């Protein structure tokens, strides 16, 4: 058994689409695999625990972008340390955008980001609200995208190639920079795509010299998630898995 600490960053402010619940998905799957898990809600830099094994940053509303950015700013050095220490970080939606170079709004205003992730968010022609399917090295990913911006300038690998949907634009979705994973997928993304969750857990446990082996209870959750993905695929005219 390995003890892991999962940090959920600003879970009340950045949980518009239930994305902060990705921390709960990771915790439950790790518990099913026999590990001891602590989930810590971090709302200020002073609340960051000494030992951090995984980080989840959810998505918020545009009206609270500046507030969220100002709360995240004092955490920049911690994010850098986590990146250097190969701590897996999942950032979704505006949480991802806030870690980037910046966010360009439709009215021309630019909100400076934390500069931790290459690229910036730019206005899309219209708001994107639909299911999305992505081909990735972590298997087929599906989720719901709800964003009014695309993403450009990412000097990193995309999370995957868009099979149906919009993503970043130009047939790409998300980005992967070291052990930081960024995506537009809501759902929450790890509940819909447990193989992706298991990859993050594999990375986190490897830092402790431990191996991740999914627990028996994971199978039922995996089957439910697969059925949901296939339902979306059929609706979009894509072959089931």
């Amino acid at each position: 058994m390995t003890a892991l600490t999962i940090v959920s960053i600003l879970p009340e402010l950045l949980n518009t689409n239930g994305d902060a619940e990705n921390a709960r998905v990771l915790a439950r799957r790790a518990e099913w695999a026999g590990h001891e898990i602590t989930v810590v809600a971090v709302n200020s830099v002073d609340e960051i625990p000494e030992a951090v094994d995984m980080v989840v940053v959810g998505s918020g509303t545009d009206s609270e972008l500046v507030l969220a950015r100002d709360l995240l700013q004092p955490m920049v050095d911690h994010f850098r340390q986590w990146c250097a220490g190969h701590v897996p970080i999942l950032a979704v939606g505006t949480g991802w955008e806030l870690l980037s170079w910046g966010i360009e709004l439709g009215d021309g205003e630019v909100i400076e980001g934390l500069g931790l992730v290459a690229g910036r968010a730019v206005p899309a022609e219209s708001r994107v609200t639909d299911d999305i399917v992505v081909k990735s090295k972590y298997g087929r990913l599906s989720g719901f995208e709800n964003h009014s911006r695309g993403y450009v300038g990412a000097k990193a690998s995309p999370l995957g190639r868009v099979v149906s949907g919009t993503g970043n634009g130009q047939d790409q979705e998300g980005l992967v920079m070291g052990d930081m994973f960024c995506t537009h997928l809501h759902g929450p993304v790890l509940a819909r795509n447990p193989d992706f969750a298991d990859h993050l857990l594999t990375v986190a446990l490897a830092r402790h010299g431990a191996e991740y082996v999914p627990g028996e209870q994971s199978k039922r959750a995996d089957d439910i998630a697969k059925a949901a993905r296939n339902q979306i695929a059929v609706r979009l005219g894509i072959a089931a898995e």
Side-chain angles (χ1 to χ4, degrees):
M1 179 184 74
T2 303
L4 297 177
T5 298
I6 302 172
V7 162
S8 180
I9 303 290
L10 307 181
E12 295 183 4
L13 192 63
L14 299 179
N15 196 26
T16 301
N17 296 284
D19 301 304
E21 306 310 319
N22 282 304
R24 292 180 60 192
V25 175
L26 290 167
R28 184 54 57 87
R29 294 186 72 81
E31 288 169 351
W32 287 341
H35 302 287
E36 181 180 338
I37 305 299
T38 301
V39 177
V40 179
V42 169
N43 295 292
S44 72
V45 66
D46 296 333
E47 295 177 352
I48 296 176
E50 183 176 347
V52 174
D53 299 295
M54 307 184 76
V55 179
V56 170
V57 188
S59 185
T61 63
D62 279 8
S63 63
E64 295 176 321
L65 282 174
V66 174
L67 172 60
R69 191 273 315 277
D70 291 347
L71 289 170
L72 288 168
Q73 185 66 54
M75 304 182 195
V76 167
D77 286 344
H78 290 276
F79 273 98
R80 288 181 177 141
Q81 291 168 12
W82 294 331
C83 289
H86 301 288
V87 173
I89 301 170
L90 174 68
V92 182
T94 59
W96 161 23
E97 293 177 347
L98 288 165
L99 299 183
S100 76
W101 294 337
I103 303 169
E104 298 178 17
L105 303 181
D107 61 5
E109 181 184 0
V110 177
I111 296 175
E112 185 178 354
L114 302 187
L116 296 166
V117 179
R120 68 187 187 279
V122 296
E125 292 184 3
S126 60
R127 188 168 195 87
V128 178
T129 53
D130 203 354
D131 290 310
I132 177 172
V133 175
V134 177
K135 182 180 180 180
S136 83
K137 64 185 296 184
Y138 316 104
R140 177 187 288 178
L141 306 178
S142 73
F144 189 80
E145 52 183 339
N146 179 16
H147 55 100
S148 58
R149 289 179 288 274
Y151 200 84
V152 298
K155 297 177 181 179
S157 299
L159 178 62
R161 180 180 62 81
V162 174
V163 177
S164 179
T166 301
N168 304 356
Q170 299 183 335
D171 296 327
Q172 294 185 345
E173 160 52 23
L175 66 82
V176 178
M177 190 180 74
D179 295 303
M180 181 181 290
F181 302 83
C182 303
T183 183
H184 290 104
L185 273 65
H186 304 296
V189 60
L190 298 185
R192 289 198 183 196
N193 305 281
D195 285 350
F196 187 21
D198 287 350
H199 174 73
L200 300 181
L201 288 165
T202 297
V203 173
L205 285 163
R207 296 178 66 247
H208 293 272
E211 182 181 2
Y212 175 73
V213 179
E216 288 296 323
Q217 291 169 285
S218 297
K219 188 178 186 306
R220 175 170 167 76
D222 294 354
D223 289 344
I224 293 171
K226 183 176 181 179
R229 292 195 305 274
N230 282 337
Q231 191 172 47
I232 291 170
V234 170
R235 185 182 71 79
L236 296 174
I238 302 169
E241 295 179 61

